[in-house]
Amino acid sequence: MKLPLLNAFISVAAIALSTHSVSTIANTSTPFAIAIHGGAGTIEKSRFTPEQEKAYRAKLQEAVETGYKVLEQGGESLDAVTAAINVLENSPYFNAGRGAVYTYDGSHELDASIMDGRGRQAGAVAGVKHIENPINLARLVMEKSVHVMLSGQGAEEFAKEHGIPLVENNLFDTENRYKALLKAKEKLDKAKVTSKNYQAAHHALPVNYKMGTVGAVALDKKGNLAAGTSTGGMTAKRFGRIGDSPVIGAGTFAENESCAVSATGHGEYFIRYNVAADICARVKYQNKTIDQAGDEVINDVLKPIGGTGGVIIVDTKGNISLPFNTSGMYRASKSNTQPTYVAIFKGE
């Protein structure tokens, strides 16, 4: 009787050991992850029809799933970031590419940047008017030029030399953005009557006219991080204004030793406080988690001085953090250990 009992015990132990081994393998598999944003601001549920909310969520999911598929198939984080941002640039819902806001003069000026975490290689373009997908040109600057940032006409000449076609500026026209321009100019004109000062008049604009961006951050199976950001800038902007989106360290930052960050918000604050790089520095030098570092910079550093917005962060272990200090931020994420997450409003 003892022998059958011994055999049964051995069989149970073998099954338990086998189950434990499979679980361990699953838990220690190579991490990969992606997060995206479509801008932060006064985004309140009451302003959406059910159909509009559904459409925004669907586009966010499409973007994050597009990038995730690249990672899942063993692709590079740079390719995942570019693919996800292209989806958002090609949508009229977000302030980048086809949904870009208008300048004061009624045209569109686009900015973008991308960064490779492997060696801090980076590329950026600012003030381009005829590039359908600015993130693609930013990547081309990183990979094919000796510079980090190109602007305006020079950036477009570089694009032509490398086979990127120029498009008409009116490709980026949308009715909602034009209405926003008219409202912004009306507010600016009223403010000028009392102040006669451009700076004071501009400060009188509601914060939503001063922000709006798309971005993506990713970690691939090889452990490489990347970040990218693209924007149409600020409604009614003048004098060739450039925000944080094409500024490495402010709107975009990635290094394999810490994390990858893409920002969205009132760009002037993000430039002055070097937001994206600051978050990664806190992770790298103070051994803080991305949740801690992101919360400190967004809520403790920026918010008290009027800096509104948010960031998306991915670290070297595939952890994801999406902090913001506004009423909403279009956002989505997915990793090999976390299902697809799509959200718009605070508290989701």
Side-chain angles (χ1 to χ4, degrees), residues 182-200:
L182 297 181
K183 289 181 181 178
K185 292 180 76 170
E186 182 181 355
K187 291 177 184 295
L188 285 170
D189 290 341
K190 286 181 179 178
K192 283 179 187 176
V193 172
T194 56
S195 69
K196 304 292 183 182
N197 180 284
Y198 170 74
Q199 187 176 28

Side-chain angles (χ1 to χ4, degrees), residues 29 41 66 70 155 249 312:
S29 60
T66 297
V70 173
I312 53 174

